[in-house]
């Protein structure tokens, strides 16, 4: 490890570190615009200048200079100060004085660094250049006159998302950053360039002119739009969530977030259920809580009660509903709304065992029945990293546009029984082989066939477990840990003919199969489930309650309450507690703390943040047989749950980016 001196302090730095990283290890702040830890080095903003000896007697860009033995680095010399002032002066030559009306104001790198490192005044009196606006779709607002050509957005699109949609045209003073052919940025991670942009050139179109950062209350939460469990920050003002931003968690989402998770915000205030409803003479009519509970109490269902959990429900709600069903004498619990019925006796067989961070190190990957870009876009980013390191990827299922080289083996899952020679050779030679079974694969026996595949190619080795199941519902792993799984899936509930079905935000169920049951829908949006219900009880969305979520890799995470629910809506557990009184049973808790304590006592893994330990992978069943044509479950990646379907922004994304509809601008 080379030794360097930074402002007179000697320290050791890792081999291959840059001078900028050495300075940060020494606790020195180095200004930068183009450098980013997760992107390649461009070295084109020149803001990170430092003085280095031995070397030429001039400032050097620290981001692109390797740290080597014996270097003496100065970050605070007069030469460095003047050089940074000069660079800042050049950057501000064409930058408009937009700060009062710029959405980046208050959290802008250019503002902060011009105050800290810039001159006190301008010496430039020529005409500033201007750049025509670009259209980057319904999510990204552009004011390209502000652009300082750091190329972070270009590098993100090419290196992380794997989609060459943004690039630079022309040269010198005429250079412009744009989407090629002036088309919308249409990939599922496009809005991350908003966070990356160090100036106000790329900002959020739906959030434009909404609020300043110091007006917002910031709450730590978990994204429920897919099963990745991305760490997010919910920014709210008063009783409304105004935006969602990603938090850094290297084990889960690094610092990225899907467009769906980011822009479902405006769906939280539309189509909301804010009062109870009762079905009278075939029509839903507004009612009071007392009337709703009286109607439920009249049913007297006895043991004939079933609970169906939706895709974005927290563990506490599912546990409270389970206790209510148990108190009535029922064990009919199911969370797989669409009819999946895979074996859940050993949770290691339905978990993403490799973990997201480790799947980057796989050298051969078989994806079975998963359109990863739609189901878990941030896992697709990890697979892309593995491919960059030399991994080979094979896909069983209908073809989709991957962001890396992949070999498609056909859409009949029976191919797993007779894999081509190149697949066999790749997995025999692999040191860290992995399989990823998606929901479409699980529906056709892919988990059992995957276990046989794992045994054949020794996917479980010292320090490596290559068997993975990729869910696409935020509530799925938590539900399975709490017992929301019947042997025959939802068909078992239909066969039991329950008198009452409690639907916890379950909107994907075919409720016509429960025509003779009283359907009690506890949810926050007037979506498909509410339309089919006999009693609708308004509940809280994920931003309006504390909750525990378990992602597809078995990672237990906690979300905090940001705002209060609208109108007469209540937190789900309080509704279930009141239902217990209406039905004359005791559930054993009277507060949220008691509820969580009871849940942790029953499932201790839910009491510890981090990866749950599900034990060893089970043996493959001897009669494992996978057959049938795979059909991916997600038809529209922007409209996968009730919150997203209520969002005008995501509705427009679906219409414009997926279905090719055109939208006229105001002047047109």
């Amino acid at each position: 490890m080379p030794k360097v001196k930074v402002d007179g302090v000697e320290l050791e730095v890792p081999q291959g570190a840059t001078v900028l990283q050495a300075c940060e290890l020494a606790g020195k702040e180095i200004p930068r615009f183009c450098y980013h830890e997760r992107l390649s080095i461009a070295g084109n903003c020149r803001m990170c200048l430092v003085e280095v000896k031995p070397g030429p007697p001039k400032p050097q860009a620290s981001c692109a200079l390797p740290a080597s033995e014996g270097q003496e680095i100065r970050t605070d010399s007069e030469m460095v100060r003047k050089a940074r002032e000069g660079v800042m002066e050049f950057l501000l030559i064409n930058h408009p004085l937009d700060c009062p009306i710029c959405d980046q104001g208050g959290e802008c790198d250019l503002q902060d660094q011009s105050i800290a490192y810039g001159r006190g005044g301008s010496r430039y009196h020529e005409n500033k250049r201007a750049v025509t606006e670009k259209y980057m779709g319904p999510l990204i607002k552009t004011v390209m006159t502000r652009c300082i050509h750091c190329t972070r957005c270009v590098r993100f699109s090419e290196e992380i998302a794997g989609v060459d949609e943004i690039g630079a045209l022309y040269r010198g003073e005429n250079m412009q950053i744009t989407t090629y052919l002036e088309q919308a940025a249409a990939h599922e991670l496009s809005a991350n360039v908003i966070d990356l942009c160090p100036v106000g050139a790329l900002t959020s179109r739906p959030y434009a002119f909404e609020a300043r950062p110091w007006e917002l209350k910031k709450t730590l939460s978990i994204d429920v739009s897919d099963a990745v469990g991305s760490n997010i920050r919910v920014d709210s003002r008063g009783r409304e969530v105004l935006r969602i931003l990603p938090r850094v968690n290297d084990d889960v989402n690094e610092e990225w977030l899907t467009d769906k998770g980011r822009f479902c915000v405006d769906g939280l205030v539309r189509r909301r259920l804010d009062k109870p409803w009762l079905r009278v003479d075939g029509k839903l009519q507004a009612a009071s809580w007392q009337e709703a509970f009286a109607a439920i109490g009249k049913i007297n269902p006895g043991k004939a009660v079933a609970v169906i959990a939706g895709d974005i429900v927290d563990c506490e709600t599912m546990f409270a509903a389970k206790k209510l069903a148990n108190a009535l004498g029922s064990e009919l619990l199911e969370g797989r709304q669409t009819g999946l019925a895979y074996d859940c006796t050993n949770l290691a067989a339905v978990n993403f065992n490799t973990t997201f961070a480790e799947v980057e190190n796989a050298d051969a990957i078989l994806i079975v029945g998963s359109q990863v870009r739609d189901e878990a876009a941030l896992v697709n980013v990890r697979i892309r990293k593995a491919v960059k390191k030399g991994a080979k990827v094979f896909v069983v299922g209908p073809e989709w546009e991957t962001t890396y080289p992949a070999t498609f083996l056909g859409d009949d899952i029976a191919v797993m029984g007779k894999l081509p020679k190149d697949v066999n050779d790749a997995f025999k030679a692999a040191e860290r082989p992995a399989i990823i079974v998606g929901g479409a694969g699980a529906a056709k026996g892919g988990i059992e066939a995957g276990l046989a595949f794992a045994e054949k190619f020794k996917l479980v080795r010292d320090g490596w477990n290559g068997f993975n199941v990729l869910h696409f519902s935020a509530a799925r792993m938590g539900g399975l840990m709490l017992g929301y799984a019947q042997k025959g899936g939802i068909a078992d509930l239909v066969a039991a003919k329950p008198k009452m079905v409690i639907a916890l935000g379950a909107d994907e169920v075919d409720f016509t199969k429960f025509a003779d049951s009283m359907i009690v829908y506890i949810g926050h949006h007037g979506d498909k489930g509410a339309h089919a219900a006999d009693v609708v009880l308004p509940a809280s969305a994920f931003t309006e309650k504390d909750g525990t979520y378990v992602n597809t890799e078995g990672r237990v995470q906690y979300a905090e309450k940001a705002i209060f629910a609208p109108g007469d809506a209540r937190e789900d557990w309080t509704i279930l507690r009141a239902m217990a009184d209406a039905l004359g049973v005791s559930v054993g808790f009277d507060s949220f703390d008691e509820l969580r304590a009871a849940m942790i006592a029953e499932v201790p893994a839910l009491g510890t943040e981090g990866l749950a330990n599900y034990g060893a992978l089970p043996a493959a069943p001897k009669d494992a047989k996978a057959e049938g044509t795979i059909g991916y479950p997600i038809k529209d990646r922007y409209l996968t749950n009730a919150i997203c379907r209520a969002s005008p922004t995501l509705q427009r994304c679906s219409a414009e980016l997926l279905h090719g509809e055109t939208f006229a601008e105001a002047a047109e």
Side-chain angles (χ1 to χ4, degrees):
M1 290 171 67
K3 286 185 179 177
V4 299
K5 269 188 181 178
V6 179
D7 291 340
V9 178
E10 190 172 78
L11 72 153
E12 283 189 351
V13 297
Q15 194 70 41
T18 63
V19 169
L20 187 149
Q21 290 167 326
C23 293
E24 292 201 326
L25 284 172
K28 301 293 180 181
E29 182 182 300
I30 304 295
R32 83 292 297 267
F33 292 112
C34 68
Y35 175 80
H36 191 277
E37 293 81 357
R38 301 184 199 278
L39 304 176
S40 63
I41 292 168
N44 56 11
C45 78
R46 317 311 285 179
M47 193 64 210
C48 62
L49 295 172
V50 294
E51 191 179 346
V52 181
K53 295 177 182 176
K58 64 176 185 178
Q60 298 188 65
S62 59
C63 68
L65 185 66
S68 57
E69 184 69 38
Q71 279 178 334
E72 289 187 28
I73 303 162
R74 290 289 304 277
T75 68
D76 56 0
S77 68
E78 184 64 17
M79 180 199 290
V80 171
R81 188 182 65 78
K82 279 191 171 179
R84 288 177 181 167
E85 283 184 0
V87 169
M88 182 59 73
E89 199 172 2
F90 273 114
L91 286 176
L92 294 175
I93 275 176
N94 287 311
H95 197 78
L97 291 171
D98 274 354
C99 298
I101 57 145
C102 177
D103 275 313
Q104 198 86 344
E107 48 191 6
C108 174
D109 291 353
L110 192 66
Q111 274 184 337
D112 297 342
Q113 293 184 37
S114 61
I115 289 171
Y117 304 104
R119 286 172 57 90
S122 171
R123 297 179 290 179
Y124 190 76
H125 304 293
E126 315 304 320
N127 293 326
K128 289 176 180 270
R129 73 164 196 159
V131 182
T132 54
E133 295 316 332
K134 316 296 179 200
Y135 182 67
M136 289 196 184
L139 303 179
I140 305 169
K141 178 189 172 191
T142 65
V143 184
M144 299 313 289
T145 302
R146 300 172 185 159
C147 178
I148 61 167
H149 302 160
C150 70
T151 68
R152 280 185 180 184
C153 53
V154 178
R155 283 174 285 148
F156 173 82
S157 297
E158 291 179 355
E159 297 164 15
I160 307 296
V163 181
D164 291 342
E165 284 191 340
I166 301 177
L169 301 179
Y170 319 121
R171 301 183 68 179
E173 193 183 43
N174 297 319
M175 180 174 162
Q176 297 181 23
I177 302 293
T178 178
T179 50
Y180 297 118
L181 307 179
E182 302 261 337
Q183 291 180 335
H187 63 86
E188 63 284 353
L189 298 169
S190 64
N192 286 289
V193 299
I194 296 169
D195 297 334
L196 286 172
C197 185
V199 295
L202 304 176
T203 55
S204 169
R205 188 178 284 265
Y207 179 69
F209 309 125
E210 284 287 329
R212 287 301 192 191
W214 54 83
E215 301 174 334
L216 304 174
K217 186 183 90 172
K218 299 164 178 62
T219 310
L220 307 184
S221 190
I222 303 298
D223 174 37
V224 298
S225 64
D226 57 27
V228 173
S230 300
N231 288 210
I232 59 173
R233 191 185 87 198
V234 175
D235 286 359
S236 57
R237 183 177 61 190
R239 296 192 65 164
E240 186 178 352
V241 175
L242 293 182
R243 67 174 178 179
I244 289 174
L245 296 176
R247 286 188 286 135
V248 177
N249 187 328
D250 288 339
D251 293 328
V252 184
N253 58 309
E254 299 178 283
E255 60 186 81
W256 317 125
L257 185 59
T258 61
D259 292 351
K260 179 172 61 175
R262 185 188 299 262
F263 290 107
C264 66
V265 164
D266 52 359
L268 290 167
V269 293
R270 289 169 173 84
R271 299 189 192 170
R272 286 302 300 266
L273 297 172
D274 58 359
K275 55 190 170 192
W277 296 78
L278 279 177
R279 192 171 295 278
V280 180
D281 297 329
K283 288 186 178 181
L284 285 172
Q285 294 183 3
S288 66
W289 280 104
Q290 290 77 10
E291 290 168 336
F293 286 131
I296 290 169
K298 282 179 190 171
I299 286 293
N300 191 20
K303 294 182 180 180
V305 173
V307 181
I308 305 173
D311 288 346
I312 55 176
V313 188
D314 57 294
C315 292
E316 284 82 358
T317 298
M318 289 189 279
F319 181 76
K322 178 184 180 179
K323 287 286 119 186
L324 176 59
N326 291 166
L328 291 165
S330 172
E331 294 285 344
L332 292 173
L333 312 170
E334 184 55 76
R336 298 164 295 180
Q337 302 176 65
T338 52
L340 295 176
Y342 43 78
D343 183 12
C344 301
T345 49
N346 188 326
L347 291 180
V350 291
N351 186 47
F352 201 97
N353 296 293
T354 308
T355 72
F356 301 152
E358 280 300 307
V359 82
E360 293 177 11
N361 299 318
D363 47 10
I365 302 172
L366 178 66
I367 300 172
V368 181
S370 178
Q371 213 281 38
V372 187
R373 279 183 72 179
D374 284 358
E375 294 170 21
L378 295 170
V379 176
N380 198 59
V381 168
R382 304 279 193 171
I383 297 171
R384 180 173 157 76
K385 283 190 184 179
V387 172
K388 278 186 171 180
K389 295 177 184 177
K392 293 181 179 176
V393 176
F394 305 94
V395 183
V396 178
E399 292 196 19
W400 48 279
E401 192 177 334
T402 59
T403 56
Y404 39 79
T407 305
F408 284 85
L409 306 176
D411 50 9
D412 191 336
I413 200 171
V415 74
M416 290 188 70
K418 45 182 187 303
L419 291 167
K421 183 178 183 300
D422 58 335
V423 181
N424 280 305
D425 292 346
F427 278 91
K428 281 176 183 171
E431 292 181 15
R432 293 177 298 279
I435 184 173
I436 299 173
V437 181
K444 304 292 182 183
I447 292 176
E448 293 78 8
L451 290 169
F453 180 89
E455 288 180 2
K456 180 179 178 182
F457 292 106
K458 298 184 176 58
L459 264 58
V460 181
R461 313 177 179 188
D462 284 344
W464 180 261
N465 185 339
F467 183 83
N468 304 295
V469 173
L470 184 62
H471 302 294
F472 45 82
S473 305
R476 186 59 44 83
M477 281 306 293
L480 296 180
M481 290 171 76
L482 289 167
Y484 275 74
Q486 301 297 306
K487 192 171 183 182
I490 210 156
D492 285 5
L493 271 59
V494 176
K497 295 184 177 176
K499 284 186 182 177
M500 179 188 290
V501 174
I502 302 171
L504 305 174
D507 295 300
E508 320 301 331
V509 183
D510 180 4
F511 283 108
T512 58
K513 295 178 179 176
F514 297 100
D516 298 329
S517 310
M518 181 190 200
I519 298 167
V520 179
Y521 180 82
I522 302 173
H524 39 79
H525 277 75
D527 208 75
K528 302 170 190 173
H531 287 285
D534 299 300
V535 182
V536 177
L537 303 177
S540 300
F542 75 102
T543 53
E544 297 154 6
K545 58 187 173 183
D546 291 328
T548 304
Y549 297 91
V550 187
N551 74 354
T552 190
E553 56 176 359
R555 186 180 299 277
V556 179
Q557 302 183 108
Y558 303 126
E560 297 175 8
K561 179 177 180 174
I563 58 170
F564 289 94
D568 287 337
R570 297 289 180 265
E571 292 187 28
D572 308 62
W573 74 269
T574 62
I575 297 171
L576 290 157
R577 175 67 186 80
M579 275 181 69
D581 288 344
L583 293 166
V585 293
S586 171
V587 286
F589 58 84
D590 293 312
S591 70
F592 184 78
D593 289 339
E594 288 178 12
L595 163 63
R596 184 171 266 178
M599 179 181 78
I600 293 168
E602 188 167 308
V603 186
L606 292 174
T608 309
E609 266 194 295
L611 291 170
N613 183 6
Y614 297 132
L617 205 63
K622 289 190 170 62
D623 56 346
K625 190 178 182 183
E627 57 184 8
T629 302
I630 288 172
Y632 297 131
I634 294 178
K635 306 303 179 194
D636 189 321
R637 66 166 172 255
Y638 292 109
L639 307 177
T640 55
N641 60 54
I643 300 173
C644 295
R645 286 190 285 267
S647 163
T649 302
L650 293 180
Q651 288 171 13
R652 176 161 175 175
C653 285
S654 169
E656 183 175 338
L657 304 180
L658 295 185
H659 302 294
E661 293 183 27
T662 55
F663 288 81
E665 295 296 319
E668 297 172 334

